[in-house]
Each structure stands twice: as C-alpha cells, then as structure tokens.
C-alpha cells in the first residue's frame, strides 16, 4: 500500500489508451471500468466490463509492449496505481511475488477467453444472460447493480441496441433482471442461468 497512488476517475475518464507506454498497473477499488480494443477497421469495441477487485495493465508491464486496450471508468471509480519502477524494485527484493503476478495474468486471460467464447453462443437471449452473469461474478455485494450502459453492453455481445433493449424488456418482464439508467441488477440468478443453458 505504501507503493500505491490513489486515482479518482469520473465516468468516461480514461486510465490509459491503446498504444500508450506501460507505466504501471491499476487495481479497481470501487466502481467499474470498461476495456475496449480496436478492431482491424479502426472501430474501438468494448469487450469487457470489470468491477472492483479487477487488476489491469499487467501484461504490458512485464513485456514492455504498448497498451493493448483502452480502459475507461464506467462510473465514479477509485483505482490504486502502482508504477512500473515501484513494482520492478518490489520484485527484485521479493521475487516470490512473481507468482502472484502470473496468477493475475492467468485470471485476466481466462476471463477474456470466456468472454470471447460466450460471444459465439447463438441466440441473443442466451448471449445476454451469459454476459450479465459473467459481469455479476466479481461483485462482492450480491444485490449491487452492474454499472454499464445499454449501448456498451450491446457492443460487448455484438447485438444492436434495439435488439438488446427488446431482450432486456423480456428479461425484466420475466422477473430475471431490473433495468435502471446505465445499470442492471439481477433479481433471479437461477432463472438467468436456466435461460443461458436453454
């Protein structure tokens, strides 16, 4: 904690952009962030929504490559930043901590692979149910809202906004979710799981 620096971000504010040099890593303490990557046509797509407890920036940190994504605050967000040099010095003194960074990279890679796999699921209802459940997994408060705008949620599962709105209305009508302004809350997890597996 002595090595960290607190960053407070407003909704839409950027932690770092695709192509930036790797200056360090960020841990989300409160709030949420969106991770966007550019497609080959130049359009940036939000592929992942991450809540508190998520760490980002580790892959580029140890490879010395440029940032592979753009990370922006989805809501009022508090992050803890650790500079590259501070971490290099820490690992030189305590090399056993490398295992923790490898574990972090593994967990992030696994989450992204799951996200990409879920995007190929047929049926907009099932694809949306899977994404909402995945976004919900990292929350420490089971009744908390998932902070994400419908336009961003639609982008993460390759749906049009009108299609997403129609599916969300259907889910809300069935008592599976509650929809608010730029946020969603699960009301019936088992029902949502059943829909995802149908």
């Amino acid at each position: 904690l002595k090595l960290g620096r607190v960053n407070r971000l407003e909704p839409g504010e950027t932690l770092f952009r695709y192509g930036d040099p790797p200056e360090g890593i960020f841990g989300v303490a409160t709030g949420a962030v969106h991770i966007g990557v550019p497609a080959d046509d130049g359009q940036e797509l939000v592929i992942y929504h991450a809540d508190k407890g998520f760490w980002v920036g580790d892959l580029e940190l140890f490879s010395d490559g440029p940032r592979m994504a753009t990370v922006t605050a989805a809501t009022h967000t508090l992050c803890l930043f650790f500079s590259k040099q501070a971490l290099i010095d820490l690992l030189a003194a305590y090399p056993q901590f490398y295992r923790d960074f490898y574990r972090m990279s593994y967990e992030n890679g696994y989450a992204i692979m799951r996200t990409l796999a879920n995007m190929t699921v047929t049926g907009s209802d099932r694809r949306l149910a899977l994404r909402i459940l995945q976004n919900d997994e990292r929350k420490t408060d089971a009744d908390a809202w998932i902070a994400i705008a419908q336009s961003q949620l639609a982008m993460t599962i390759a749906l049009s906004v009108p299609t997403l709105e129609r599916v969300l209305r259907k889910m809300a009508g069935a008592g599976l979710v509650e929809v608010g302004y730029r946020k969603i809350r699960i009301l019936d997890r088992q029902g949502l799981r059943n829909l995802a597996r149908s």
Side-chain angles (χ1 to χ4, degrees), residues 8-20:
R8 299 178 188 276
L9 300 146
E10 298 295 319
E13 194 171 348
T14 302
L15 274 76
F16 54 79
R17 294 188 179 281
Y18 175 84
D20 284 352

Side-chain angles (χ1 to χ4, degrees), residues 55-76:
W55 291 87
V56 64
D58 50 298
L59 289 176
E60 302 95 340
L61 182 72
F62 295 114
S63 67
D64 284 327
R67 296 295 193 190
M68 296 187 294
T70 297
V71 179
T72 56
T75 182
H76 295 284

Side-chain angles (χ1 to χ4, degrees), residues 139-162:
K139 294 199 289 78
T140 55
D141 180 358
D143 295 322
W145 292 85
I146 299 167
I148 188 168
Q150 291 184 18
S151 59
Q152 293 165 329
L153 182 58
M155 188 180 296
T156 65
I157 53 175
L159 291 180
S160 68
V161 173

